[in-house]
Amino acid sequence: GFDALATPAEVVRFFERDFRDAIPLMPELTDDFFSHPTGALLTIRTHPWHLDGRAVLLGDAAHAIVPFYGQGANAAFEDGVALLEAIDANPGRLARAFERYEAVRKPNADAIADLAITNFHEMRDHVASPLFLAKKRLDKLLHKLFPRWFVPLYPMISFSTIPYAEAKAKAERQERALKAIGIGLVLALSAVVAILLL
């Protein structure tokens, strides 16, 4: 990792090995590397998001997430919409509006935080796996064949208005159904093989 690079020569060797195409874009690579410390990626889960009817948190102030789903700004915009809806539904009662806004948005903020971390682990550990790639192809095929029944998680999150918590729950149900179907197919094939071997 970056923390292990202690000298300019180590930095150059590291970048030549792993990021060769980026080197021409960074003429001050070693100076910049040592003068700008590596930042931390954090997930922040706060509660409550409001103080009576006097103040309310939105976006990263309430629920900062790692960037591995690309939904941070979108989640903040959704906060704004939910807050305005809560204020409109509770005229003159900001404390109640803020409570309602948090009740609607917190489960979704927690869901996208979990999904962003999971997506990081997928990108880091699984994208080169033939099994993972086959699963992604199966997801696309199932969506094409059964668009109302099966929608892959990524399109639900990135290309729909399905709330994050609902999309996460639906993806988990779909995954359980696929596992049950897979187990059923394995058992059926095992039974056929057993009969044929008799």
Side-chain angles (χ1 to χ4, degrees), residues 3 8 10 16-17 23 25 36 46 49 52 55 65 69-70 77 82 87 97 101 146 151 167 177-178 181-182 186 189:
D3 292 341
E10 290 174 342
E16 284 176 344
R17 186 187 75 221
I23 293 173
L25 304 173
H36 298 93
T46 60
W49 292 0
D52 305 320
I65 61 174
Y69 231 109
F77 293 140
I87 290 170
Y101 148 74
F146 310 104
V151 181
L178 286 178
I181 291 167
V186 167
L189 286 173

Side-chain angles (χ1 to χ4, degrees), residues 113-156:
D114 294 341
L115 290 169
I117 291 167
T118 299
N119 201 46
F120 164 72
H121 291 290
E122 274 188 4
M123 291 187 308
R124 183 189 68 189
D125 299 333
H126 302 296
V127 293
S129 160
L131 187 60
F132 177 82
L133 297 173
K135 168 73 169 69
K136 291 299 179 188
R137 283 192 296 276
L138 176 62
D139 287 353
K140 285 181 183 180
L141 176 63
L142 288 172
H143 179 59
K144 191 172 187 174
L145 294 172
F146 310 104
R148 299 180 90 184
W149 176 76
F150 188 91
V151 181
L153 178 60
Y154 188 83
M156 278 195 283

